[in-house]
Amino acid sequence: MAVTAKAGSEKSEWKKRYEPNDTGLRFQDLKYTGNFTDLEPVPDGILGDRMMKARMRSKVIEKVTKQDVLKGEFTVDELNDLNDYLAWNIWDVLVMRATEGVSGMIPRQEYEMLSFMQEFYRYPEFMRRITDEVGAQGVMDIGASARREIGTKVNCVHDWCLGAVAFAMGRCGLLALEVIKPDDYVEESNTILKFMQRVLWGKRQDGWILNSQDRYRCTIHEKDFLESLVTHCENFEPGSEKHDKFVAFNAAAELLAFFDHYDCRLGLGDTGPYQMPDGRILIVRDLFVNEDIYHWSDVCEGLPHCFTMLVLVDPELMGLKEIRVNDISTSFTIPKNYIEAITGGAVLVREQHDTPMGEVYAVGINDIAKHLEKIQQATFNMYKKTAKMSRHELCLNGIYSYYIEMILPHMRKAGMYDYFNKEHDFWEIDQRVANYYYEINKRNFAQATVPLKVFSGAGYLPFSKKADLRQSKYFWS
């Protein structure tokens, strides 16, 4: 087939986004205020990142060194800067999805809020023990493992959730529910954010921790590793039979990956955009269609843990102006639809979460029909299974899909998942959170207060100047 992209084309509008003074395009008209009520509202994207960095009191949002990351804790100013930046970053990735948090079948708003709180209460204990076991360098090595793996959940969205969800949204939710105060849990907040920083820094190894800090790039794979993957790619014409098979498989696997993770994007993981020598761009997309740790995933029996799609897009064919791989592992473009500009790709299979990379294999695009049939049958069975569940059961499963899932890959890499099950009741729900189940629907807390506080940025209250870094959950006034 004819590959239309031109390597190094001077006309490529999208490449201007990586020029130092470029401020990017706006993907939405809304603006963010957060804790900066006396300053100009902040937009999304590259310009928003620049404005937020300029407002920081410390250097924690600038490029940091390995020595910085190995330090034992953050200062109060650094904690507040991370809190403010993450609050904007959460708004940036979630608000432009108008349907974020809404599901017609699963009570997402409720289970999200409860799992945020559960994580804030329980993750510090796990993170501290993992760090005790493997050391600070070992935590960074967990992040670095993603550089030479596909089909791994040590990825953008899981690593981001360690801090953005467990700390930022968890603490924000508890503040909004008025069950903690701004200066409570300083020590635990430090533990969560330091763990997140180490994992993310180890994965990127360029000084940044978030994709938004690097113009929405997540090009983490080592060059020789990526080159070995690309050898499996097949070229095809847009609209051809092979193109349509590839796109249909991607859509079906995405749907099941979402459903198996309770209607959330923890089942997906994009990295990229990688610039190919022929001028095209590559997105590496993991679709986790069978997480057998969940009891409801029995309908996925016979499917592998993960299909990895290598998606080659011709930027000239679609007139690409900007592409973002944001911090929740999702690719967005202007123009919005890049499907018709996909001109090549591959499908790779990782049978289990710990299958060695040398045993990952490719499936030819003309041979994916048998896998597609299994995916479609599993999706149908998942709908039937889900429809029979009570609201309480759906909510509990949703809590598991967030609380268990977001730290599961890091526990596995540390070799401590079984230990936390046996010794620390990993799957138990904190009694306080169990009680909140009956509170969050009162006075429209989940439906009205949560969006106003958590998604708008208004509820991420800073630690005060009097905050004590040693202040723990045992404090009360």
Side-chain angles (χ1 to χ4, degrees):
M1 60 86 60
V3 176
T4 59
K6 298 178 181 177
S9 171
E10 296 297 327
K11 298 180 181 178
S12 299
E13 173 72 17
W14 68 284
K15 291 183 179 178
K16 295 178 182 176
R17 305 292 83 82
Y18 307 126
E19 295 174 359
N21 294 324
D22 189 87
T23 55
L25 306 178
R26 305 284 69 80
F27 281 52
Q28 58 176 320
D29 295 329
L30 300 174
K31 291 191 176 182
Y32 173 83
T33 298
N35 286 328
F36 301 96
T37 53
D38 56 342
L39 296 175
E40 179 186 358
V42 180
D44 67 297
I46 296 170
L47 178 57
D49 162 70
R50 178 178 297 183
M51 292 176 67
M52 290 301 296
K53 284 174 179 168
R55 296 177 183 185
M56 300 294 106
R57 288 142 293 196
S58 71
K59 299 294 184 183
V60 73
I61 297 299
E62 300 299 327
K63 280 191 173 183
V64 290
T65 67
K66 183 176 181 179
Q67 288 67 39
D68 293 327
V69 180
L70 288 173
K71 289 179 181 175
E73 62 183 13
F74 296 109
T75 65
V76 172
D77 275 350
E78 288 173 334
L79 290 176
N80 280 330
D81 283 347
L82 286 165
N83 180 54
D84 284 335
Y85 189 88
L86 285 171
W88 168 80
N89 176 280
I90 291 165
W91 171 86
D92 183 51
V93 300
L94 298 185
V95 171
M96 70 179 180
R97 291 185 55 82
T99 58
E100 185 64 43
V102 175
S103 170
M105 180 170 282
I106 296 171
R108 273 198 62 181
Q109 289 168 306
E110 289 86 348
Y111 90 61
E112 284 181 344
M113 199 64 253
L114 293 167
S115 60
F116 298 163
M117 298 171 179
Q118 167 85 0
E119 292 173 21
F120 185 76
Y121 281 140
R122 296 220 61 198
Y123 276 10
E125 177 186 9
F126 306 138
M127 292 172 170
R128 187 180 302 113
R129 289 185 180 276
I130 291 173
T131 306
D132 288 345
E133 182 68 22
V134 305
Q137 179 62 55
V139 176
M140 295 169 73
D141 291 343
I142 289 172
S145 67
R147 298 176 66 81
R148 302 192 70 84
E149 287 191 47
I150 54 173
T152 175
K153 288 185 173 179
V154 179
N155 61 13
C156 298
V157 62
H158 285 77
D159 302 345
W160 175 86
C161 285
L162 293 174
V165 175
F167 161 73
M169 286 196 267
R171 177 173 175 269
C172 182
L174 291 165
L175 287 168
L177 198 60
E178 299 180 344
V179 293
I180 70 169
K181 298 178 180 179
D183 284 352
D184 294 343
Y185 295 88
V186 187
E187 181 181 343
E188 286 81 1
S189 298
N190 219 322
T191 299
I192 294 173
L193 289 173
K194 183 52 73 172
F195 192 91
M196 177 200 74
Q197 184 197 41
R198 286 170 175 163
V199 170
L200 285 164
W201 195 96
K203 181 178 71 182
R204 297 188 58 95
Q205 298 191 12
D206 60 0
W208 301 117
I209 59 173
L210 299 169
N211 299 348
S212 60
Q213 295 173 289
D214 186 30
R215 297 171 182 267
Y216 299 88
R217 288 176 288 193
C218 185
T219 52
I220 60 168
H221 289 314
E222 303 283 0
K223 185 172 183 292
D224 65 318
F225 177 73
L226 191 68
E227 288 174 348
S228 70
L229 298 179
V230 174
T231 59
H232 297 291
C233 285
E234 303 174 44
N235 292 322
F236 44 71
E237 295 282 357
S240 65
E241 183 179 358
K242 189 170 282 189
H243 171 272
D244 292 347
K245 286 181 179 178
F246 186 77
V247 170
F249 185 84
N250 178 71
E254 273 195 21
L255 178 61
L256 180 57
F258 253 85
F259 213 166
D260 196 34
H261 294 76
Y262 259 61
D263 222 7
C264 80
R265 68 193 61 250
L266 289 168
L268 285 72
D270 282 2
T271 66
Y274 302 94
Q275 294 189 41
M276 296 290 102
D278 64 9
R280 288 182 291 180
I281 58 177
L282 172 68
I283 299 169
V284 179
R285 173 168 300 150
D286 291 324
L287 299 169
F288 301 96
V289 295
N290 186 5
E291 181 49 78
D292 59 9
I293 200 170
Y294 303 126
H295 66 80
W296 57 85
S297 200
D298 57 353
V299 300
C300 303
E301 187 175 355
L303 285 168
H305 177 65
C306 183
F307 289 109
T308 298
M309 309 279 291
L310 306 183
V311 183
L312 284 164
V313 178
D314 184 336
E316 304 302 328
L317 185 61
M318 67 177 290
L320 181 63
K321 295 180 179 178
E322 182 171 341
I323 178 169
R324 298 181 190 174
V325 175
N326 67 19
D327 288 294
I328 53 174
S329 285
T330 308
S331 300
F332 287 93
T333 58
I334 294 179
K336 292 181 179 179
N337 186 1
Y338 60 84
I339 299 299
E340 298 305 319
I342 296 175
T343 58
V347 179
L348 303 171
V349 179
R350 191 171 191 180
E351 291 288 352
Q352 305 293 332
H353 73 88
D354 56 354
T355 296
M357 279 297 99
E359 296 177 18
V360 171
Y361 60 91
V363 179
I365 297 173
N366 284 330
D367 299 323
I368 56 177
K370 60 181 180 182
H371 295 284
L372 179 61
E373 186 177 340
K374 289 182 181 177
I375 289 171
Q376 291 171 329
Q377 186 61 51
T379 304
F380 177 65
N381 290 340
M382 188 74 82
Y383 272 108
K384 289 197 296 183
K385 192 180 190 77
T386 304
K388 295 176 182 176
M389 294 182 185
S390 68
R391 181 181 178 278
H392 191 281
E393 187 176 7
L394 291 169
C395 206
L396 180 62
N397 293 345
I399 294 172
Y400 287 147
S401 75
Y402 264 32
Y403 159 66
I404 297 293
E405 173 81 22
M406 290 178 188
I407 199 170
L408 174 66
H410 313 91
M411 287 184 172
R412 282 171 165 168
K413 286 292 183 185
M416 298 179 72
Y417 172 68
D418 291 339
Y419 163 77
F420 284 120
N421 274 328
K422 183 179 180 181
E423 303 293 339
H424 295 276
D425 298 325
F426 181 41
W427 284 74
E428 285 297 324
I429 305 300
D430 188 288
Q431 185 174 345
R432 291 164 291 186
V433 176
N435 291 337
Y436 299 156
Y437 173 79
Y438 302 99
E439 297 293 326
I440 60 171
N441 283 318
K442 294 178 181 176
R443 297 176 295 279
N444 261 342
F445 180 81
Q447 293 75 21
T449 303
V450 168
L452 285 173
K453 297 288 187 179
V454 178
F455 298 138
S456 74
Y460 297 82
L461 304 181
F463 298 101
S464 77
K465 293 181 180 178
K466 297 179 180 178
D468 187 334
L469 291 176
R470 299 164 298 180
Q471 205 150 290
S472 182
K473 61 184 177 182
Y474 303 108
F475 168 83
W476 189 251
S477 63

